[in-house]
Amino acid sequence: MPIPEKCSSLSYHKKPREPETDLLAAVLNLSYYDLTRSSAGEVAYRDALKWFLGDFPYSGEYDNHLFSFNTICGYLNLDAKSIRHRIKELHSHVN
């Protein structure tokens, strides 16, 4: 049965994402996983916290680095400032 003409132009599928988007989302997700699933004394937790809060090799003068938190948030259209503020609130007990 042919598709009715007025429906043929409708798309029922989401627009495919670019591979770069998936890669950057994976970096963000892995860091979040490390932050939420690791204990405060583990290296993965400390590195993730530093990355989110901007105290990592990809921050400061390297903040435009492809894998910096700010760059990834910008590419994914996320509010880095709000995310960073919330993480600070949730993890303020860690020095």
Side-chain angles (χ1 to χ4, degrees):
M1 176 197 266
I3 299 174
E5 189 173 321
K6 75 177 199 178
C7 295
S8 64
S9 64
L10 300 176
S11 174
Y12 294 99
H13 302 286
K14 291 182 178 180
K15 181 180 173 187
R17 293 188 304 197
E18 297 294 323
E20 295 85 3
T21 302
D22 289 338
L23 174 62
L24 295 177
V27 170
L28 185 64
N29 285 329
L30 179 60
S31 295
Y32 182 75
Y33 178 85
D34 287 344
L35 191 64
T36 58
R37 301 290 181 223
S38 303
S39 67
E42 293 182 41
V43 173
Y45 175 89
R46 290 191 314 260
D47 284 350
L49 188 60
K50 286 178 183 179
W51 184 76
F52 277 110
L53 299 182
D55 184 23
F56 204 68
Y58 302 134
S59 63
E61 66 183 89
Y62 299 106
D63 206 34
N64 291 326
H65 188 278
L66 176 62
F67 294 108
S68 75
F69 176 68
N70 286 336
T71 299
I72 289 175
C73 285
Y75 190 87
L76 298 176
N77 200 26
L78 300 171
D79 185 354
K81 193 178 211 179
S82 294
I83 295 169
R84 189 171 278 138
H85 177 74
R86 184 69 178 137
I87 288 173
K88 282 181 183 179
E89 286 178 345
L90 294 172
H91 298 273
S92 62
H93 63 281
V94 179
N95 293 330

